[in-house]
Short mmCIF file of all heavy atoms in Angstrom, two decimals:
data_model
loop_
_atom_site.label_atom_id
_atom_site.label_comp_id
_atom_site.label_asym_id
_atom_site.label_seq_id
_atom_site.Cartn_x
_atom_site.Cartn_y
_atom_site.Cartn_z
N SER A 688 -0.16 -18.07 11.08
CA SER A 688 1.16 -18.18 10.47
C SER A 688 1.57 -19.66 10.44
O SER A 688 2.37 -20.07 9.57
CB SER A 688 2.14 -17.34 11.15
OG SER A 688 2.21 -17.60 12.57
N LYS A 689 1.17 -20.50 11.45
CA LYS A 689 1.58 -21.88 11.39
C LYS A 689 0.90 -22.65 10.31
O LYS A 689 1.57 -23.40 9.51
CB LYS A 689 1.21 -22.47 12.75
CG LYS A 689 2.20 -22.15 13.92
CD LYS A 689 2.15 -23.13 15.07
CE LYS A 689 3.37 -22.94 15.95
NZ LYS A 689 3.17 -21.72 16.80
N LEU A 690 -0.42 -22.49 10.19
CA LEU A 690 -1.20 -23.22 9.12
C LEU A 690 -0.85 -22.73 7.79
O LEU A 690 -0.70 -23.46 6.85
CB LEU A 690 -2.72 -23.12 9.25
CG LEU A 690 -3.32 -23.98 10.40
CD1 LEU A 690 -4.80 -23.73 10.59
CD2 LEU A 690 -3.15 -25.47 10.00
N SER A 691 -0.60 -21.34 7.68
CA SER A 691 -0.32 -20.82 6.32
C SER A 691 1.14 -21.29 5.85
O SER A 691 1.41 -21.46 4.68
CB SER A 691 -0.37 -19.34 6.30
OG SER A 691 0.40 -18.75 7.25
N GLU A 692 2.05 -21.51 6.84
CA GLU A 692 3.34 -22.08 6.50
C GLU A 692 3.16 -23.59 6.04
O GLU A 692 3.77 -23.89 5.00
CB GLU A 692 4.23 -22.10 7.71
CG GLU A 692 5.68 -22.70 7.46
CD GLU A 692 6.56 -22.73 8.60
OE1 GLU A 692 6.10 -22.35 9.75
OE2 GLU A 692 7.76 -22.95 8.43
N GLU A 693 2.33 -24.33 6.70
CA GLU A 693 2.05 -25.72 6.22
C GLU A 693 1.51 -25.75 4.85
O GLU A 693 1.99 -26.52 4.02
CB GLU A 693 1.07 -26.37 7.28
CG GLU A 693 0.96 -27.88 7.02
CD GLU A 693 -0.11 -28.49 7.96
OE1 GLU A 693 -0.30 -27.96 9.04
OE2 GLU A 693 -0.75 -29.44 7.57
N ILE A 694 0.59 -24.83 4.57
CA ILE A 694 -0.07 -24.79 3.29
C ILE A 694 0.92 -24.34 2.20
O ILE A 694 1.03 -24.95 1.08
CB ILE A 694 -1.27 -23.84 3.24
CG1 ILE A 694 -2.29 -24.45 4.19
CG2 ILE A 694 -1.86 -23.66 1.84
CD1 ILE A 694 -3.46 -23.48 4.55
N THR A 695 1.75 -23.42 2.50
CA THR A 695 2.76 -22.97 1.55
C THR A 695 3.73 -24.05 1.12
O THR A 695 4.17 -24.10 -0.05
CB THR A 695 3.52 -21.73 2.21
OG1 THR A 695 2.65 -20.62 2.49
CG2 THR A 695 4.63 -21.22 1.19
N LEU A 696 4.00 -24.94 2.13
CA LEU A 696 5.02 -25.94 1.93
C LEU A 696 4.44 -27.21 1.21
O LEU A 696 5.15 -28.05 0.59
CB LEU A 696 5.65 -26.38 3.18
CG LEU A 696 6.57 -25.34 3.82
CD1 LEU A 696 6.99 -25.75 5.22
CD2 LEU A 696 7.79 -24.99 3.01
N GLN A 697 3.07 -27.32 1.26
CA GLN A 697 2.47 -28.53 0.65
C GLN A 697 2.84 -28.83 -0.72
O GLN A 697 3.26 -29.94 -1.06
CB GLN A 697 0.91 -28.48 0.76
CG GLN A 697 0.47 -28.71 2.18
CD GLN A 697 -1.09 -28.39 2.37
OE1 GLN A 697 -1.73 -27.86 1.47
NE2 GLN A 697 -1.59 -28.83 3.51
N PRO A 698 2.83 -27.89 -1.68
CA PRO A 698 3.21 -28.15 -3.06
C PRO A 698 4.68 -28.32 -3.22
O PRO A 698 5.12 -29.05 -4.15
CB PRO A 698 2.63 -26.95 -3.80
CG PRO A 698 2.54 -25.83 -2.80
CD PRO A 698 2.21 -26.52 -1.54
N ILE A 699 5.42 -27.72 -2.36
CA ILE A 699 6.91 -27.97 -2.43
C ILE A 699 7.27 -29.35 -2.12
O ILE A 699 8.13 -30.02 -2.74
CB ILE A 699 7.63 -26.95 -1.36
CG1 ILE A 699 7.36 -25.51 -1.77
CG2 ILE A 699 9.13 -27.22 -1.40
CD1 ILE A 699 7.80 -25.06 -3.04
N GLU A 700 6.55 -29.95 -1.05
CA GLU A 700 6.78 -31.27 -0.57
C GLU A 700 6.41 -32.32 -1.66
O GLU A 700 6.95 -33.30 -1.86
CB GLU A 700 6.06 -31.58 0.77
CG GLU A 700 6.73 -30.82 1.95
CD GLU A 700 5.89 -30.74 3.12
OE1 GLU A 700 4.64 -31.05 3.05
OE2 GLU A 700 6.36 -30.38 4.23
N ARG A 701 5.30 -31.99 -2.34
CA ARG A 701 4.77 -32.93 -3.35
C ARG A 701 5.56 -32.81 -4.73
O ARG A 701 5.88 -33.86 -5.23
CB ARG A 701 3.31 -32.53 -3.73
CG ARG A 701 2.31 -33.39 -2.93
CD ARG A 701 0.95 -33.21 -3.62
NE ARG A 701 -0.07 -33.82 -2.80
CZ ARG A 701 -0.57 -35.03 -3.01
NH1 ARG A 701 0.03 -35.82 -3.95
NH2 ARG A 701 -1.51 -35.58 -2.27
N PHE A 702 5.75 -31.61 -5.11
CA PHE A 702 6.30 -31.50 -6.59
C PHE A 702 7.74 -30.85 -6.63
O PHE A 702 8.23 -30.86 -7.73
CB PHE A 702 5.39 -30.56 -7.37
CG PHE A 702 3.95 -30.99 -7.24
CD1 PHE A 702 3.04 -30.24 -6.55
CD2 PHE A 702 3.49 -32.17 -7.86
CE1 PHE A 702 1.69 -30.63 -6.52
CE2 PHE A 702 2.22 -32.60 -7.76
CZ PHE A 702 1.20 -31.78 -7.13
N ASP A 703 8.29 -30.42 -5.51
CA ASP A 703 9.64 -29.87 -5.51
C ASP A 703 9.70 -28.68 -6.40
O ASP A 703 10.70 -28.58 -7.25
CB ASP A 703 10.74 -30.92 -5.88
CG ASP A 703 12.12 -30.45 -5.52
OD1 ASP A 703 12.23 -29.67 -4.56
OD2 ASP A 703 13.06 -30.95 -6.14
N PHE A 704 8.76 -27.78 -6.45
CA PHE A 704 8.82 -26.64 -7.30
C PHE A 704 10.01 -25.80 -6.89
O PHE A 704 10.56 -25.89 -5.87
CB PHE A 704 7.54 -25.75 -7.02
CG PHE A 704 6.26 -26.36 -7.64
CD1 PHE A 704 5.08 -26.51 -6.88
CD2 PHE A 704 6.21 -26.69 -8.93
CE1 PHE A 704 3.95 -26.99 -7.45
CE2 PHE A 704 5.13 -27.26 -9.63
CZ PHE A 704 3.96 -27.44 -8.85
N ASP A 705 10.42 -24.86 -7.84
CA ASP A 705 11.59 -24.09 -7.57
C ASP A 705 11.30 -22.80 -6.77
O ASP A 705 12.25 -22.03 -6.52
CB ASP A 705 12.16 -23.62 -8.97
CG ASP A 705 12.76 -24.93 -9.73
OD1 ASP A 705 13.63 -25.52 -9.16
OD2 ASP A 705 12.21 -25.17 -10.79
N ALA A 706 10.10 -22.64 -6.44
CA ALA A 706 9.71 -21.41 -5.61
C ALA A 706 8.54 -21.77 -4.72
O ALA A 706 7.59 -22.43 -5.11
CB ALA A 706 9.38 -20.20 -6.51
N ALA A 707 8.48 -21.21 -3.58
CA ALA A 707 7.32 -21.30 -2.61
C ALA A 707 6.76 -19.83 -2.70
O ALA A 707 7.43 -18.82 -2.55
CB ALA A 707 7.80 -21.53 -1.23
N ILE A 708 5.47 -19.81 -3.03
CA ILE A 708 4.72 -18.52 -2.92
C ILE A 708 3.85 -18.57 -1.73
O ILE A 708 3.12 -19.54 -1.41
CB ILE A 708 3.88 -18.20 -4.20
CG1 ILE A 708 3.24 -16.84 -4.07
CG2 ILE A 708 2.92 -19.30 -4.55
CD1 ILE A 708 2.66 -16.24 -5.41
N ILE A 709 3.98 -17.51 -0.91
CA ILE A 709 3.17 -17.57 0.38
C ILE A 709 1.70 -17.70 0.26
O ILE A 709 1.17 -17.27 -0.71
CB ILE A 709 3.50 -16.32 1.17
CG1 ILE A 709 3.07 -14.97 0.53
CG2 ILE A 709 4.97 -16.24 1.56
CD1 ILE A 709 3.00 -13.79 1.40
N PHE A 710 1.21 -18.47 1.17
CA PHE A 710 -0.27 -18.57 1.20
C PHE A 710 -0.95 -17.37 1.82
O PHE A 710 -0.77 -17.15 3.04
CB PHE A 710 -0.70 -19.92 1.96
CG PHE A 710 -2.26 -19.98 2.01
CD1 PHE A 710 -3.00 -20.40 0.91
CD2 PHE A 710 -2.92 -19.80 3.20
CE1 PHE A 710 -4.32 -20.52 0.91
CE2 PHE A 710 -4.29 -19.89 3.26
CZ PHE A 710 -4.95 -20.30 2.20
N SER A 711 -1.43 -16.53 0.98
CA SER A 711 -2.04 -15.26 1.45
C SER A 711 -3.05 -14.83 0.38
O SER A 711 -3.54 -15.66 -0.46
CB SER A 711 -0.91 -14.21 1.63
OG SER A 711 -1.45 -13.08 2.19
N ASP A 712 -3.34 -13.59 0.30
CA ASP A 712 -4.36 -13.07 -0.68
C ASP A 712 -4.06 -11.57 -0.92
O ASP A 712 -3.71 -10.89 0.00
CB ASP A 712 -5.81 -13.32 -0.14
CG ASP A 712 -6.82 -13.19 -1.24
OD1 ASP A 712 -7.32 -12.06 -1.50
OD2 ASP A 712 -7.11 -14.14 -1.90
N ILE A 713 -4.38 -11.14 -2.16
CA ILE A 713 -4.19 -9.76 -2.49
C ILE A 713 -5.16 -8.74 -1.68
O ILE A 713 -4.84 -7.66 -1.44
CB ILE A 713 -4.38 -9.43 -4.00
CG1 ILE A 713 -5.83 -9.86 -4.50
CG2 ILE A 713 -3.31 -10.18 -4.78
CD1 ILE A 713 -6.11 -9.39 -5.91
N LEU A 714 -6.26 -9.39 -1.17
CA LEU A 714 -7.27 -8.56 -0.40
C LEU A 714 -6.86 -8.37 1.01
O LEU A 714 -7.57 -7.79 1.79
CB LEU A 714 -8.65 -9.14 -0.59
CG LEU A 714 -9.19 -9.14 -1.92
CD1 LEU A 714 -10.63 -9.65 -2.04
CD2 LEU A 714 -9.17 -7.75 -2.59
N MET A 715 -5.72 -8.85 1.44
CA MET A 715 -5.22 -8.58 2.77
C MET A 715 -4.95 -7.08 3.00
O MET A 715 -4.98 -6.55 4.07
CB MET A 715 -4.01 -9.39 3.07
CG MET A 715 -4.20 -10.90 3.03
SD MET A 715 -5.61 -11.48 3.95
CE MET A 715 -5.15 -11.21 5.63
N ILE A 716 -4.66 -6.32 1.90
CA ILE A 716 -4.47 -4.92 2.00
C ILE A 716 -5.78 -4.18 2.45
O ILE A 716 -5.78 -3.50 3.38
CB ILE A 716 -3.92 -4.22 0.78
CG1 ILE A 716 -2.39 -4.71 0.63
CG2 ILE A 716 -3.98 -2.74 0.75
CD1 ILE A 716 -1.38 -3.86 1.33
N PRO A 717 -6.86 -4.35 1.65
CA PRO A 717 -8.12 -3.71 2.14
C PRO A 717 -8.45 -4.12 3.54
O PRO A 717 -8.89 -3.32 4.38
CB PRO A 717 -9.19 -4.23 1.13
CG PRO A 717 -8.38 -4.59 -0.07
CD PRO A 717 -7.04 -4.98 0.37
N TYR A 718 -8.30 -5.42 3.86
CA TYR A 718 -8.51 -5.90 5.24
C TYR A 718 -7.63 -5.24 6.23
O TYR A 718 -8.10 -4.77 7.25
CB TYR A 718 -8.38 -7.48 5.30
CG TYR A 718 -8.29 -7.95 6.70
CD1 TYR A 718 -9.48 -8.17 7.34
CD2 TYR A 718 -7.08 -8.12 7.43
CE1 TYR A 718 -9.54 -8.72 8.62
CE2 TYR A 718 -7.16 -8.56 8.73
CZ TYR A 718 -8.31 -8.88 9.35
OH TYR A 718 -8.33 -9.29 10.66
N GLY A 719 -6.39 -5.06 5.90
CA GLY A 719 -5.36 -4.37 6.74
C GLY A 719 -5.78 -2.92 6.94
O GLY A 719 -5.41 -2.35 8.01
N LEU A 720 -6.40 -2.32 5.99
CA LEU A 720 -6.79 -0.91 6.09
C LEU A 720 -8.08 -0.75 6.96
O LEU A 720 -8.39 0.37 7.42
CB LEU A 720 -7.02 -0.29 4.75
CG LEU A 720 -5.84 -0.15 3.84
CD1 LEU A 720 -6.25 0.39 2.49
CD2 LEU A 720 -4.84 0.90 4.43
N GLY A 721 -8.73 -1.93 7.14
CA GLY A 721 -10.01 -1.82 8.00
C GLY A 721 -11.29 -1.95 7.32
O GLY A 721 -12.34 -1.79 7.81
N GLN A 722 -11.18 -2.25 5.93
CA GLN A 722 -12.40 -2.54 5.22
C GLN A 722 -12.75 -3.98 5.38
O GLN A 722 -11.95 -4.86 5.56
CB GLN A 722 -12.15 -2.30 3.64
CG GLN A 722 -13.47 -2.42 2.86
CD GLN A 722 -13.30 -2.06 1.34
OE1 GLN A 722 -12.08 -1.98 0.89
NE2 GLN A 722 -14.35 -1.95 0.60
N GLU A 723 -14.07 -4.20 5.64
CA GLU A 723 -14.58 -5.51 5.90
C GLU A 723 -14.35 -6.44 4.65
O GLU A 723 -14.67 -5.98 3.52
CB GLU A 723 -16.05 -5.54 6.27
CG GLU A 723 -16.51 -6.84 6.81
CD GLU A 723 -17.96 -6.86 7.18
OE1 GLU A 723 -18.41 -5.78 7.60
OE2 GLU A 723 -18.62 -7.83 7.07
N VAL A 724 -13.72 -7.57 4.81
CA VAL A 724 -13.44 -8.47 3.71
C VAL A 724 -13.94 -9.89 4.16
O VAL A 724 -13.51 -10.45 5.15
CB VAL A 724 -11.98 -8.59 3.24
CG1 VAL A 724 -11.81 -9.57 2.07
CG2 VAL A 724 -11.47 -7.22 2.90
N GLU A 725 -14.87 -10.47 3.37
CA GLU A 725 -15.38 -11.77 3.69
C GLU A 725 -15.34 -12.62 2.41
O GLU A 725 -15.73 -12.12 1.30
CB GLU A 725 -16.77 -11.68 4.25
CG GLU A 725 -17.34 -13.01 4.72
CD GLU A 725 -18.85 -12.85 4.98
OE1 GLU A 725 -19.46 -11.76 5.02
OE2 GLU A 725 -19.47 -13.86 5.49
N PHE A 726 -14.98 -13.88 2.52
CA PHE A 726 -14.99 -14.89 1.37
C PHE A 726 -16.21 -15.75 1.57
O PHE A 726 -16.25 -16.53 2.46
CB PHE A 726 -13.66 -15.57 1.25
CG PHE A 726 -12.57 -14.73 0.75
CD1 PHE A 726 -11.80 -13.96 1.58
CD2 PHE A 726 -12.23 -14.78 -0.59
CE1 PHE A 726 -10.85 -13.13 1.11
CE2 PHE A 726 -11.13 -14.04 -1.16
CZ PHE A 726 -10.50 -13.22 -0.24
N LYS A 727 -17.10 -15.68 0.63
CA LYS A 727 -18.32 -16.51 0.70
C LYS A 727 -18.16 -17.75 -0.24
O LYS A 727 -17.77 -17.52 -1.38
CB LYS A 727 -19.49 -15.72 0.30
CG LYS A 727 -19.87 -14.66 1.36
CD LYS A 727 -21.23 -13.97 0.92
CE LYS A 727 -21.68 -12.90 2.03
NZ LYS A 727 -22.78 -12.28 1.69
N LYS A 728 -18.50 -18.85 0.20
CA LYS A 728 -18.39 -20.14 -0.57
C LYS A 728 -19.25 -19.97 -1.90
O LYS A 728 -20.47 -19.48 -1.80
CB LYS A 728 -18.98 -21.33 0.24
CG LYS A 728 -18.52 -22.61 -0.37
CD LYS A 728 -18.73 -23.76 0.57
CE LYS A 728 -18.33 -25.06 -0.13
NZ LYS A 728 -18.60 -26.29 0.73
N ASN A 729 -18.63 -20.35 -2.97
CA ASN A 729 -19.34 -20.40 -4.25
C ASN A 729 -19.73 -18.92 -4.76
O ASN A 729 -20.57 -18.84 -5.61
CB ASN A 729 -20.61 -21.27 -4.35
CG ASN A 729 -20.30 -22.72 -4.01
OD1 ASN A 729 -19.18 -23.22 -4.31
ND2 ASN A 729 -21.11 -23.27 -3.27
N PHE A 730 -19.08 -17.98 -4.07
CA PHE A 730 -19.42 -16.51 -4.48
C PHE A 730 -18.08 -15.72 -4.64
O PHE A 730 -18.04 -15.01 -5.65
CB PHE A 730 -20.27 -15.84 -3.38
CG PHE A 730 -20.64 -14.40 -3.77
CD1 PHE A 730 -21.54 -14.15 -4.66
CD2 PHE A 730 -19.92 -13.43 -3.05
CE1 PHE A 730 -21.88 -12.80 -5.00
CE2 PHE A 730 -20.20 -12.13 -3.42
CZ PHE A 730 -21.21 -11.78 -4.32
#
């Protein structure tokens, strides 16, 4: 939660966008249900 907050705020600090969208992923639901989810580089 600390790093994801820092990441969420990075574009706000740079560009002053009108909205912050949380740093997360749509696949957190399958992960939250207990399905294995892995992100492989370049895949």
Side-chain angles (χ1 to χ4, degrees):
S688 56
K689 283 203 169 71
L690 280 177
S691 54
E692 182 181 8
E693 187 182 332
I694 293 165
T695 300
L696 292 171
Q697 284 173 348
I699 301 297
E700 288 164 348
R701 260 194 190 269
F702 309 111
D703 195 27
F704 289 129
D705 294 300
I708 183 164
I709 60 166
F710 178 72
S711 187
D712 197 271
I713 61 169
L714 295 182
M715 297 313 291
I716 288 272
Y718 170 83
L720 293 173
Q722 186 173 13
E723 193 181 327
V724 180
E725 185 188 359
F726 285 80
K727 293 185 173 177
K728 196 173 181 183
N729 303 322
F730 179 78

